[in-house]
Amino acid sequence: MGQTERPRAGMGRAMSEQPPYGLTDIELDELNEYLAEHPGPYQFGLDAAHGLLSAVVVAPEPIAASEWLPVLISDDGEIADADTNNRVLTLIVRLYNSIVQELEAFSYQPIYAEVEDEQGLARLSPRGWCEGFAAGIDLRSEIWGTRLGSDPRLLEIMDPIIRLSAEEGVLDIDVVGEPGSAHERGDELPLPGEQPWHEQASDDALPDEAGDDPPASDNPWQHLLEPMSEPDYDAALNAVAAAVADIQQYWRDHQPRQDESFDADNPLLRRKRDGQWVH
């Protein structure tokens, strides 16, 4: 949104009420402080941890803790003792279970970081949560990518999450065939399940010198490339909770096919952190 973010110690939810499930505020702060002091491979904080676990809970197929836990914390011997180890794992498992319970009770809310804008005013930032959710999608990238490329219903359901992720610089989205895109240069394969939404225009289809407008794009990702207005941003922020619940229901109703098997070598969307590609 063009504002400088200065993270503060506190964490914010989309709603101020304490949820009926999960960790207390003190326990959330405890987990957040641990993650800050013992950064994992992607340096996820509490908000990103909540996004990661949310994506795992609503994933198209079950994901074992042995897959998602190394994304969150590193196994490098930094945990000093068994008590600390057990305490951290207990908090993470309880956070995971709270997401399951909140979704079943229709009370799910994402955890966002509380930051300061350029005027020093506190606001909620979805960047960390979106980074975590994108990391969870990466764990089953082939399934997500194939289905997003073939079923516009899932793309529509995920619209607020994808738009916020793109707005916050978490995702980098190429428009297939657009001038300057990686796909036009031919140095990168299309995303799993992605179709070439743009055809190379013939000479007859080019606008003439009279100033005719070029044909409108039929790329369903096109609106993701447009900057979001403040009202659109706020609306998307408030729509994330419902989107997560709808994603879970979608995969329950439309389970993965055999040709949408897990493929770790095919990331869905390229996720960025500090200007570097993260797969």
Side-chain angles (χ1 to χ4, degrees):
M1 297 295 290
Q3 296 170 314
T4 301
E5 296 185 355
R6 296 187 293 275
R8 297 167 61 181
M11 304 298 295
R13 274 187 176 263
M15 295 178 66
S16 60
E17 296 87 348
Q18 181 71 18
Y21 309 105
L23 282 63
T24 66
D25 288 338
I26 294 176
E27 290 171 328
L28 289 172
D29 287 339
E30 180 184 353
L31 181 55
N32 186 46
E33 289 176 5
Y34 175 85
L35 293 173
E37 294 172 359
H38 303 83
Y42 301 132
Q43 300 182 340
F44 282 169
L46 176 61
D47 52 345
H50 195 265
L52 169 67
L53 296 179
S54 297
V56 170
V57 170
V58 303
E61 64 182 19
I63 302 177
S66 59
E67 290 187 60
W68 57 258
L69 192 58
V71 178
L72 185 56
I73 58 176
S74 59
D75 185 15
D76 56 6
E78 288 187 4
I79 297 180
D81 56 76
D83 289 341
T84 301
N85 183 31
N86 291 336
R87 175 62 175 170
V88 171
L89 293 178
T90 296
L91 292 177
I92 292 173
V93 170
R94 286 178 55 200
L95 185 62
Y96 176 97
N97 290 336
S98 73
I99 294 171
V100 174
Q101 293 170 320
E102 289 172 12
L103 283 168
E104 293 300 324
F106 304 102
S107 61
Y108 171 87
Q109 291 294 332
I111 293 180
Y112 299 139
E114 187 178 82
V115 300
E116 290 181 358
D117 62 18
E118 293 175 341
Q119 287 73 43
L121 300 176
R123 69 175 182 87
L124 297 178
S125 168
R127 178 180 175 85
W129 187 94
C130 289
E131 286 181 336
F133 197 88
I137 287 179
D138 284 349
L139 295 174
R140 290 296 182 271
S141 58
E142 177 71 8
I143 298 175
W144 285 93
T146 302
R147 189 61 64 88
L148 278 168
S150 62
D151 190 347
R153 290 173 295 179
L154 181 57
L155 184 64
E156 182 179 358
I157 290 171
M158 293 186 64
D159 183 82
I161 296 175
I162 296 176
R163 294 193 70 189
L164 287 172
S165 298
E167 182 75 10
E168 294 290 340
V170 175
L171 298 178
D172 185 77
I173 301 170
D174 274 336
V175 178
V176 179
E178 285 290 325
S181 74
H183 306 308
E184 185 202 45
R185 294 193 305 270
D187 58 4
E188 186 172 331
L189 294 175
L191 302 175
E194 188 175 58
Q195 300 300 317
W197 304 111
H198 292 273
E199 299 289 345
Q200 180 65 41
S202 65
D203 292 339
D204 293 336
L206 295 174
D208 58 29
E209 296 181 357
D212 291 342
D213 293 331
S217 169
D218 60 352
N219 172 31
W221 300 82
Q222 183 65 43
H223 69 290
L224 302 176
L225 306 176
E226 304 295 333
M228 297 178 70
S229 66
E230 287 261 356
D232 286 345
Y233 185 91
D234 291 340
L237 202 67
N238 293 327
V240 167
V244 173
D246 289 343
I247 291 169
Q248 182 182 55
Q249 189 61 49
Y250 173 88
W251 286 117
R252 286 177 173 176
D253 294 340
H254 309 283
Q255 296 183 6
R257 304 184 305 269
Q258 289 185 350
D259 61 342
E260 296 173 322
S261 59
F262 171 49
D263 184 354
D265 295 328
N266 275 307
L268 165 63
L269 297 172
R270 290 166 300 165
R271 179 165 50 90
K272 294 195 294 187
R273 185 174 182 84
D274 297 332
Q276 301 295 322
W277 299 123
V278 180
H279 295 298

